[in-house]
Amino acid sequence: MPPIPGSGLAKGLAVTLRTMTKKTVTAQYPDTQPELPPRSRGVIGLFEENCTVCMLCARECPDWCIYIDSHKETVPPAAPGGRERSRNVLDRFAIDFSLCMYCGICIEVCPFDALFWSPEFEYAETDIHELTHERDKLREWMWTVPEPPALDPGAEEPKEIAAARKTADKLATQQAQQAQQAQQAQQAQQAPQAQQSEEGGTP
């Protein structure tokens, strides 16, 4: 059946009329903060303790907007006779948000979970040079990162948790066996003493 002439125009006008009759809602920003989705890409927070200065985020960044400086320190041996080790110490971690295109590659490639998306978006500056934020500011944004969503109940357990639980169960079993062996040894030591006391007490 061919379409009725003017039906498209009628549908469009109907949508317009429905929209005109609805009450408009204006978000009173900044008095009322918007409710952002949990995976909003605002800024990047830095969890400095997890950073090993592997430079992977800086190398993979397509805009080259991550600046990292570090130096090496010698760590004394953990045990006597051991070898000294060297480790990287973070001196500077900065992100130029005037260049960042919020692709999230740096967060995805970080092998130690040192970078996270924060929903913060109020970081505008009057000077473009002030959009390069250092690690102190990135650390402040880290505390605004929302908690990760709960896992699907039917999802497979992460390998890290499964390995940790297996190790904990094995350790608990070993401790239980050691406690049982210690109890048996104590009972074996107490049995001859009790027998001797009984023999000494009989007339």
Side-chain angles (χ1 to χ4, degrees):
M1 181 178 177
I4 302 174
S7 60
L9 179 61
K11 290 180 180 179
L13 290 174
V15 173
T16 303
L17 289 174
R18 283 199 303 269
T19 305
M20 289 176 62
T21 55
K22 289 182 180 179
K23 183 180 178 181
T24 59
V25 179
T26 303
Q28 301 297 328
Y29 178 82
D31 297 330
T32 304
Q33 293 292 325
E35 295 183 3
L36 301 175
R39 298 183 65 184
S40 298
R41 296 190 176 189
V43 290
I44 298 172
L46 171 67
F47 192 53
E48 190 175 334
E49 285 77 2
N50 286 358
C51 182
T52 61
V53 201
C54 64
M55 305 293 292
L56 195 57
C57 56
R59 289 198 302 265
E60 295 295 329
C61 178
D63 290 334
W64 292 87
C65 65
I66 300 177
Y67 312 115
I68 300 175
D69 293 330
S70 65
H71 69 276
K72 287 187 177 294
E73 282 187 358
T74 302
V75 180
R83 294 173 52 187
E84 293 183 346
R85 297 178 296 109
S86 63
R87 66 183 181 93
N88 292 323
V89 178
L90 186 66
D91 292 329
R92 185 194 183 202
F93 195 109
I95 299 178
D96 187 353
F97 284 98
S98 66
L99 297 177
C100 179
M101 63 180 185
Y102 305 91
C103 62
I105 293 177
C106 57
I107 297 175
E108 294 176 3
V109 301
C110 180
F112 301 104
D113 292 334
L115 297 174
F116 296 87
W117 279 119
S118 167
E120 291 292 323
F121 61 91
E122 297 175 319
Y123 58 96
E125 300 289 347
T126 55
D127 188 357
I128 193 173
H129 297 94
E130 296 179 0
L131 284 173
T132 301
H133 294 290
E134 300 292 336
R135 65 178 181 175
D136 294 336
K137 188 65 176 178
L138 302 180
R139 179 62 179 263
E140 291 179 11
W141 284 330
M142 180 62 209
W143 308 124
T144 63
V145 174
E147 295 183 2
L151 297 176
D152 186 356
E156 182 181 354
E157 188 179 36
K159 295 180 181 179
E160 296 84 359
I161 298 178
R165 181 175 287 108
K166 184 177 180 181
T167 304
D169 293 343
K170 185 178 179 181
L171 182 61
T173 304
Q174 290 177 355
Q175 291 177 350
Q177 291 177 354
Q178 291 175 358
Q180 186 178 3
Q181 291 174 359
Q183 186 178 5
Q184 291 176 354
Q186 186 178 4
Q187 290 176 355
Q189 289 177 358
Q190 292 175 354
Q193 296 176 358
Q195 186 177 2
Q196 289 177 3
S197 61
E198 289 178 0
E199 291 176 354
T202 53

